[in-house]
Amino acid sequence: MQAKIQQYLLEVASATPSNADEAEFLRLRFLGRKGVLNDLFADFKLAESKDRREIGQLLNELKTSVEAKVLEHSAGKPKVLISAEDTSRPGWSVAPGSHHPVSQVRDELVDIFRRMGFAVAEGPEMEDDWHNFTALNFPPEHPARDMQDTFFLARNPDWALRTHTSNVQVRTMESQKPPIRIIAPGRVFRNEAISSRSHCMFHQIEGLYLDRKVSFADMKQTLLEFAQAFFGEKTAIRLRPSYFPFTEPSAEMDIWWGLETEVDYRMTKGTGWLEILGCGMVDPAVLEACGIDPQEFSGFAFGLGVERIAMQRFAIPDIRALFDNDLRLLRTL
Ligand code: DAH
């Protein structure tokens, strides 16, 4: 019996199945229900006990060598020709992705300002005190510098995560001469409790327009154009006096939202007006800090929050939903 198995071992070792059918044939001949191995195992049961160990080992060897041969063949080459070449097969479907609502709104806003001649500028998210506060005319004791609002870097508290994109204003004015027309979209950080209305990280778009004889009326017209491009051509705006350290005078811009439904009522706190952005004429002290002569140049700046506008556009009542990455929500937007 041993000799017989040796013979089979030789046969398997020298077998060279050249296609899947031949490999299958080899498998059936040895491993099939009526195959060689089943017969041999039947004989094995009748073998004398002194031979059993040796025969057992040989049988195992034969079995694994057949399996290896079959596997080697069928793994490497296609069994039947239904692979890439088969043009009748349905294709792989790839689920198309989409842009996050915050990106959608940001891109749309950026697009509108670009059409008006603004260039996109960028600045660092990790910023020093000068560019985030001091050059923007924040007094030394201003509460925004407080630990409560600002994330300072533990390793070096002279640095912080920028609390607004206004730092890009400063960096642009330091490195370019007017005329300047830029918008700076980007991420900002505030050490605030996370709630349905506020988050510790969100996105802003900063705008800066600087040239000779730029007036408050220029700002108003630019912002009206923007509001009508984004919210619809009949949109009305109003400017309310406000305060920012880096602009004088400063204002907040509302758009007329309407007061027709209960939701309108809630969103506008019963006024019908919706606050969209902060703006103002760049304070001469800021121009001076950035090396620009306020006698020669003037300009306006504005800053708006992207999440807030995305929440209005997509009727999302809770800002946290924008950062949960819950596909059930994102797929609907
Ligand atoms: N930096 C302000 C903020 O974070 C937004 C802002 C308001 C920017 C008025 C401006 C501006 O440039 O003129 O709340």
Side-chain angles (χ1 to χ4, degrees), residues 7 14 37 48 72 88 103 154 161 205 207 247 261 264-265 270 309:
Q7 196 61 41
S14 59
L37 268 151
E48 287 185 43
E72 180 193 318
S88 67
S103 306
L161 298 181
I205 295 181
T247 45
T261 68
D264 295 344
Y265 207 85
I309 295 181

Side-chain angles (χ1 to χ4, degrees), residues 136 138 163-166 169 188 190 202 204-208 219 243-244 246-247 250-251 277-282 300-304:
L136 288 163
F138 278 78
T163 58
H164 49 191
T165 41
S166 306
Q169 257 197 55
V188 303
R190 299 216 184 143
F202 55 99
Q204 285 188 333
I205 295 181
E206 180 82 11
L208 175 68
M219 177 179 87
Y243 172 77
F244 300 104
F246 34 88
T247 45
S250 306
L277 54 80
C279 57
M281 302 305 291
V282 181
F300 62 83
F302 54 89
L304 56 84

Side-chain angles (χ1 to χ4, degrees), residues 264-280:
D264 295 344
Y265 207 85
R266 231 182 306 135
M267 276 179 65
T268 65
K269 300 195 188 99
T271 65
W273 293 95
L274 202 60
E275 187 189 317
I276 296 297
L277 54 80
C279 57

Side-chain angles (χ1 to χ4, degrees), residues 178 211-214 287 292-298:
D211 205 343
R212 289 185 175 84
K213 297 198 174 75
V214 177
L287 295 177
I292 289 173
D293 181 2
Q295 302 296 335
E296 191 180 355
F297 295 105
S298 59

